[in-house]
Amino acid sequence: MARAPVRISMPDEAKKGEIVDIKAILRHPMETGYRVDNVGKKIPRNIVTDMTVTYGGVEVMRWKLQPGVAANPFIGFSTVAIETGELVFTWTDDTGQIFRESRMLTVT
């Protein structure tokens, strides 16, 4: 498992019941498998196929990606601040590599 080459934007704390906006971008080439290199050899497909986010151990977001998604996929979503807990972002690509990053949300 690799440390994710990712940028996550979210507040460090929120009031209980507040809606929290979360944005994340993963640096990944998202190679479709349709292109060829400079000598005509097909470049193998390697896309992020799944992304999940858990909050306090409960899944709050799941995204299935397709080859049409651009390089460096961006996702934005919201969740409700229920209790202090860790948000864990997990991406899996075609090579089986798993990228994981986490952020703590403190609820007051």
Side-chain angles (χ1 to χ4, degrees), residues 51-91:
M51 178 191 179
T52 59
V53 180
T54 61
Y55 171 29
V58 176
E59 186 175 284
V60 293
M61 200 280 303
R62 175 176 293 274
W63 186 25
K64 293 284 201 186
L65 290 84
Q66 301 296 320
V69 174
N72 306 318
F74 168 84
I75 184 76
F77 66 98
S78 301
T79 191
V80 177
I82 307 273
E83 61 186 25
T84 296
E86 186 175 47
L87 281 96
V88 179
F89 300 75
T90 307
W91 296 264

Side-chain angles (χ1 to χ4, degrees), residues 11 14-15 17-21 78-81:
K15 294 183 191 241
E18 183 179 351
I19 296 174
V20 178
D21 293 323
S78 301
T79 191
V80 177

Side-chain angles (χ1 to χ4, degrees):
M1 181 172 19
R3 181 168 171 86
V6 65
R7 180 177 293 177
I8 297 170
S9 174
M10 61 174 272
D12 293 330
E13 58 183 59
K15 294 183 191 241
K16 187 170 185 156
E18 183 179 351
I19 296 174
V20 178
D21 293 323
I22 301 163
K23 299 174 186 169
I25 187 168
L26 175 69
R27 289 187 305 274
H28 193 281
M30 297 294 282
E31 188 56 60
T32 64
Y34 299 126
R35 293 184 329 125
V36 294
D37 64 15
N38 60 349
V39 294
K41 183 178 175 191
K42 190 174 183 178
I43 300 170
R45 178 181 136 144
N46 182 14
I47 69 166
V48 173
T49 56
D50 297 281
M51 178 191 179
T52 59
V53 180
T54 61
Y55 171 29
V58 176
E59 186 175 284
V60 293
M61 200 280 303
R62 175 176 293 274
W63 186 25
K64 293 284 201 186
L65 290 84
Q66 301 296 320
V69 174
N72 306 318
F74 168 84
I75 184 76
F77 66 98
S78 301
T79 191
V80 177
I82 307 273
E83 61 186 25
T84 296
E86 186 175 47
L87 281 96
V88 179
F89 300 75
T90 307
W91 296 264
T92 307
D93 72 13
D94 279 328
T95 68
Q97 189 167 14
I98 298 171
F99 304 95
R100 186 165 287 140
E101 188 72 31
S102 62
R103 296 287 188 278
M104 183 61 71
L105 177 63
T106 302
V107 176
T108 57

